[in-house]
Amino acid sequence: MTSSTFIRQSGLASMLGGILFAAKMWYDRNDGPPWPTDITDTLIFVVPLLWLVGLTGLYARCKERSGGLGLLGFGVASTGAAMAVVGPLAMSLFDNDGLWFVLVLGLIILFTGLIITGIATIRAKALLGWSAALPLIIGTLGLLMFFANPDDPRLSVDMVSLLRSVRMISTMLFGAVWIVLGYTLWSEPSAAAVQAKPSVT
């Protein structure tokens, strides 16, 4: 498989991950403590696995221009994605809900890594135009989605309603931007392809 083919396929993985994540969050939109579980919670590991493929393709697309900061961002983000894959699998395998923290911590690390990656791609202009900001947008939305917690019992009814709206909007946007990033990887030529394209004189 050539590098450009893998990058395009990683874009499809990113798009599918964004779609599945948004669908899962919409499915769970009315859930609350004590957080009932079903088969979708067991299979949620598929989503960060798809993101991990997408991140690998993103790094392959940008590594020649994103430098050390890009490598750092990819390392942090991919570590977080891997933890988010392992968490649900370990919970299912060992029947231990206490391992949920592995998923939670992994997501926070993933979002942080995406912000670092986004800064690197913006600085290096490693993606075309505004698409260089997509990893930064995804990471920021992820943290917003994560910390907009409507389940704190100390909150007023109005604040709970507001935070539920913020979380749902940021969740849908989070999934949508993954789809946009995936489409960017699927449709943009790689740096090598651009360099190899003969100039017109």
Side-chain angles (χ1 to χ4, degrees):
M1 181 186 299
T2 65
S3 175
S4 60
T5 299
F6 172 73
I7 291 170
R8 285 174 59 85
Q9 292 183 352
S10 74
L12 295 177
S14 296
M15 287 189 277
L16 181 57
I19 292 169
L20 291 177
F21 178 81
K24 167 62 175 170
M25 294 301 102
W26 180 258
Y27 176 75
D28 287 344
R29 67 190 183 280
N30 294 320
D31 284 357
W35 304 111
T37 59
D38 55 31
I39 188 62
T40 64
D41 296 291
T42 302
L43 296 176
I44 193 63
F45 77 90
V46 173
V47 172
L49 181 61
L50 291 168
W51 290 341
L52 183 57
V53 175
L55 287 168
T56 305
L58 175 63
Y59 181 67
R61 171 68 179 81
C62 302
K63 64 181 179 180
E64 295 179 2
R65 302 183 65 177
S66 59
L69 188 61
L71 178 59
L72 174 63
F74 170 71
V76 173
S78 59
T79 298
M83 290 176 64
V85 172
V86 170
L89 287 175
M91 288 172 57
S92 177
L93 181 62
F94 298 108
D95 194 22
N96 185 349
D97 290 344
L99 293 171
W100 189 255
F101 81 92
V102 178
L103 170 63
V104 172
L105 180 59
L107 289 175
I108 294 174
I109 294 172
L110 168 63
F111 302 151
T112 303
L114 281 164
I115 290 173
I116 297 171
T117 300
I119 294 171
T121 55
I122 291 170
R123 288 178 57 185
K125 299 180 180 178
L127 293 171
L128 297 179
W130 60 270
S131 60
L134 289 173
L136 175 61
I137 295 171
I138 294 173
T140 303
L141 285 171
L143 290 177
L144 177 62
M145 170 186 67
F146 190 86
F147 288 108
N149 179 19
D151 302 312
D152 188 333
R154 297 169 297 179
L155 296 175
S156 67
V157 174
D158 289 341
M159 183 58 69
V160 168
S161 178
L162 174 62
L163 289 177
R164 283 188 181 276
S165 297
V166 170
R167 173 172 282 185
M168 183 52 60
I169 292 170
S170 59
T171 295
M172 294 300 107
L173 289 174
F174 178 84
V177 182
W178 268 110
I179 296 170
V180 175
L181 177 61
Y183 179 77
T184 299
L185 293 173
W186 180 79
S187 61
E188 275 193 12
S190 67
V194 171
Q195 292 172 359
K197 185 177 179 180
S199 60
V200 178
T201 57

